[in-house]
Amino acid sequence: IMTQQVSSGSPFLKPFFLKSPVSVVSPLRQRRHTLPASEFRNLTPQDAISVFEIEREAFVSVSGECPLTLDEVLNFLGQCPELSLGWFEEGQLVAFIIGSGWDKERLSQEAMMRHVPDTPTVHIHVLSVHRHCRQQGKGSVLLWRYLQYLRYCIPGIRRALLICEDFLVPFYLKAGFKEKGASAISVSSMQFQEMEYSLGGQAYTRRNSGC
C-alpha cells in the first residue's frame, strides 16, 4: 500500500558508511561521529524546513521559483513520506527527492499539488542537492537509489514521471529516463519537458529484496 511508510529494513535505506582512516580523536569528536557517516531514509514533516531551505537556495537563484512551497512540502511529507528519500551525512540533510502518486498518463497542472494514493505512477516533484555538496555526483547517486527503492520496495509502482527544463534533459536521459515531449505544465514563463522512467519487471525481484 503506497500510504504505508517503508521500514528502514529496506536494503536501499540502510546506512551507507564511508571509509575513513583510523585515527585517535577527542571525546568531543567521538560524540559528534556517533551518527552514521552517510545514510538514506524517507523524509518526515520534521525534515520540511531543511528540505525547503535547500530547495529555495537551489531554485530561486536560478529560476525565481520553488517547485514546492513549504506548505506543499509539509503536505506531501505528511501524505506520502514513502515516496520521498533523503541523503543525510552526519545527521545533516545534503540531498533529497520528493514524489507523490499520480493517476494519469501525462502530468498536468493538478499534479503539482495533488497526491493520488494507490496508483502505479510516481510524480517526482523535486530533486535538490545542498549547495556545498554539488558537483560531486550526489544527484545522480540519489536518483539511482530512489529509482531502485521504488522498483523493489513500493508495491505496484510501474513508472516515474517528472518535468524539467531543457538543460536538464541530458542528465535524466543518462539516468534512464525517456522523453515524452513538451509538458502541458508551465510556471511563470518557464516551459518544461516531460520525462518517464519505466520500473517494469520489479514483481519477481521484490520477493528477494528484503523489503
Side-chain angles (χ1 to χ4, degrees), residues 43-57 69-71 73-74 77 93 96 98:
L43 298 168
T44 71
Q46 287 69 40
D47 299 308
I49 296 296
S50 296
V51 164
F52 186 67
E53 288 177 348
I54 293 173
E55 179 197 26
R56 181 173 57 187
E57 190 281 328
T69 66
L70 179 57
D71 284 344
V73 170
L74 284 164
L77 295 186
L93 182 65
F96 68 87
I98 292 178

Side-chain angles (χ1 to χ4, degrees), residues 6-7 9-12 148-149 152-154 206-211:
V6 177
S7 72
S10 161
F12 296 101
Q148 299 311 304
Y149 162 69
Y152 296 118
C153 300
I154 305 293
R206 185 184 298 116
R207 288 200 292 269
N208 301 297
S209 69
C211 294

Side-chain angles (χ1 to χ4, degrees), residues 148-163:
Q148 299 311 304
Y149 162 69
L150 293 180
R151 182 189 302 274
Y152 296 118
C153 300
I154 305 293
I157 297 296
R158 294 291 180 267
R159 64 181 187 144
L161 294 176
L162 59 83
I163 60 171

Side-chain angles (χ1 to χ4, degrees), residues 3-23:
T3 54
Q4 183 178 17
Q5 186 163 356
V6 177
S7 72
S8 59
S10 161
F12 296 101
L13 299 182
K14 289 179 179 177
F16 172 75
F17 297 95
L18 302 178
K19 294 182 179 179
S20 59
V22 175
S23 60

Side-chain angles (χ1 to χ4, degrees), residues 105-124:
E105 174 63 25
R106 299 287 298 267
L107 296 172
S108 67
Q109 206 75 37
E110 182 186 11
M112 304 297 284
M113 299 172 289
R114 184 181 175 204
H115 165 59
V116 183
D118 305 315
T119 57
T121 299
V122 170
H123 170 202
I124 299 176

Side-chain angles (χ1 to χ4, degrees), residues 27-65:
L28 177 61
R29 288 184 61 81
Q30 285 179 331
R31 287 196 297 272
R32 186 179 299 152
H33 286 81
T34 55
L35 292 168
S38 188
E39 67 171 340
F40 298 83
R41 65 165 173 82
N42 297 129
L43 298 168
T44 71
Q46 287 69 40
D47 299 308
I49 296 296
S50 296
V51 164
F52 186 67
E53 288 177 348
I54 293 173
E55 179 197 26
R56 181 173 57 187
E57 190 281 328
F59 288 92
V60 171
S61 61
V62 175
S63 64
E65 299 279 350

